Amino acid sequence: MLILLAAIFLLHLACIAVLLAATIHNAWWMTNTTSIDIWDWWVWGDGKWNNTEIPSHYPQAYLQAVQATSVLACIFCILGLFVFVAQLYTLPKGKRFLFTGAFQLLAWLCIMIAASIYTDIFHRDEKGWYGASFILAWISVCLTFISCVTYFILRKKTA
Amino acid sequence: MAIFSILLSSSASLSPPASLVLELPVTSLPSSQCTAISVYTNWEKHALLGSDVRLSCSFFSWHWTSSEVTFSWSYRADGAKESTTIFHYTNGAPYIGTKGPFKDRLDFVGNPNRRDGSILIRNVDYNDNGTFTCDAKNPPDIMGHSSNVRLLVFEKVPVQAGVITGAIIGVVLGVLILVVAIYYLMRFLVARRVFSLSMSRHGKKGKGKEGSQQRQASGHLPPP
């Protein structure tokens, strides 16, 4: 039983770590010399990365929507961890971790919205490849979904 | 007597001071005060293509506004080396340049008595991007710096960084907190109603029991 609890806790921590990495690291789209999104444009020049301004034709509104939803996903996942620990102590025996599951569900919704908007709107016909943060964002979609389902199924151990 | 003047900073916007007031101690001449005029304009002005933009200019001077106050606006296009005068106000009358890029589009909307020398440019175009310089003189206060305002013309208003992000995050978190608060409030109210109902039921039963106990107790009193 303790091993199951530890595994679920570790899964939740893994969700948080992957979400934070996807949100913070500016590597959703890469080319040979650039590493961009969702916060900054980085261009490789003179042997180091230089921060450049986002060009004006870039869809700013969609970019800010992706920023907002990925930040919200991080917030909900971290709050869910605290709620899980609280529910461990306060939940009556035999009940499900619904509150924690709700937070994970919201986190899953938010990061799915972020990843979907980014995939559909940005870099449709450009040369380059998707960077590490983009892949981590989609991985976190799967992880948060698994975590959410786990919390909806899990019941607190009866005596 | 020494005269010290205070350091003033530009009040128009978050920008470095447009001009400084010089301080000069005067020892033997009581009447001549060497103070300088400070001219204020915006730092930058953003305008939509085809709209009218008002470039405001005002000044601070230690002297009363004289009748010989002058305002002078000049324009230097982005990338050009020289600037040309486009407007001049003197002797109580405005003079708009008859040649130049603004000849039919410039209006004087200022009030020199109130120290306002603003001009209005109608129907701005991308060619109007550049730096406008306002120079005001209030005799005998003629020393001072002029002030520049940069005009930027946009096709559509650019979205400021982070406005939409902050709005989405704020609204979602706000709605969530509201829902949680309402849920706990409903639970609290329902629990209180259930509690008060059970109290009233318990109270009626309790009174009945107490009354019968009292009658029994009085029945057991020994006769005097």
Side-chain angles (χ1 to χ4, degrees), chain A residues 39 60-61 63-65 67-69 71-72 75-76 79 99 103 106, chain B residues 156 159-166 168-170 172-173 176 180 184:
Chain A
W39 303 100
Q60 278 282 356
L63 183 70
Q64 293 196 17
Q67 287 173 350
T69 41
V71 167
L72 276 174
I75 291 175
F76 285 137
L79 283 178
F99 207 16
F103 270 92
L106 283 172
Chain B
K156 55 184 172 89
V159 183
Q160 278 183 303
V163 166
I164 299 179
T165 312
I168 294 177
I169 294 179
V172 170
L173 286 179
L176 189 75
V180 168
Y184 275 111

Side-chain angles (χ1 to χ4, degrees), chain B residues 59-73:
Chain B
F59 66 88
F60 177 82
S61 164
W62 288 104
H63 289 90
W64 298 113
T65 312
S66 78
S67 53
E68 286 117 46
V69 64
T70 63
F71 287 98
S72 187
W73 279 95

Side-chain angles (χ1 to χ4, degrees), chain B residues 33-134:
Chain B
Q33 298 181 38
C34 274
T35 54
I37 195 171
S38 22
V39 182
Y40 305 128
T41 61
N42 295 104
W43 185 247
E44 264 184 5
K45 205 76 183 159
H46 296 198
L48 279 179
L49 187 69
S51 68
D52 301 340
V53 62
R54 180 200 164 109
L55 301 170
S56 57
C57 175
S58 73
F59 66 88
F60 177 82
S61 164
W62 288 104
H63 289 90
W64 298 113
T65 312
S66 78
S67 53
E68 286 117 46
V69 64
T70 63
F71 287 98
S72 187
W73 279 95
S74 55
Y75 167 68
R76 184 171 60 84
D78 267 347
K81 282 204 191 131
E82 295 170 348
S83 67
T84 55
T85 309
I86 55 171
F87 173 82
H88 193 70
Y89 178 96
T90 184
N91 275 337
Y95 296 93
I96 301 177
T98 46
K99 283 190 273 195
F102 301 103
K103 59 177 172 144
D104 295 323
R105 298 191 284 144
L106 207 145
D107 291 325
F108 180 60
V109 294
N111 190 350
N113 292 330
R114 299 261 181 94
R115 300 183 169 181
D116 178 17
S118 312
I119 55 170
L120 181 81
I121 300 181
R122 283 175 300 181
N123 203 6
V124 290
D125 188 39
Y126 288 124
N127 299 328
D128 299 333
N129 272 319
T131 311
F132 290 80
T133 309
C134 175

Side-chain angles (χ1 to χ4, degrees), chain B residues 205-215:
Chain B
K205 266 199 241 167
K207 273 196 201 137
K209 265 196 212 155
E210 272 175 24
S212 62
Q213 269 179 353
Q214 267 183 347
R215 267 187 268 131

Side-chain angles (χ1 to χ4, degrees), chain A residues 69-148:
Chain A
T69 41
S70 53
V71 167
L72 276 174
C74 291
I75 291 175
F76 285 137
C77 212
I78 293 174
L79 283 178
L81 190 70
F82 291 117
V83 169
F84 176 58
V85 172
Q87 282 209 303
L88 267 180
Y89 287 106
T90 62
L91 203 61
K93 291 203 192 295
K95 297 283 219 153
R96 292 194 161 109
F97 290 88
L98 287 177
F99 207 16
T100 317
F103 270 92
Q104 284 288 74
L105 182 77
L106 283 172
W108 170 68
L109 269 175
C110 286
I111 190 62
M112 200 169 79
I113 291 173
S116 308
I117 293 178
Y118 192 83
T119 314
D120 190 43
I121 302 281
F122 291 81
H123 311 292
R124 293 297 292 274
D125 305 310
E126 287 178 36
K127 285 205 193 310
W129 58 92
Y130 283 113
S133 301
F134 181 78
I135 298 170
L136 284 178
W138 278 109
I139 288 177
S140 65
V141 168
C142 303
L143 283 181
T144 43
F145 186 67
I146 294 171
S147 185
C148 156

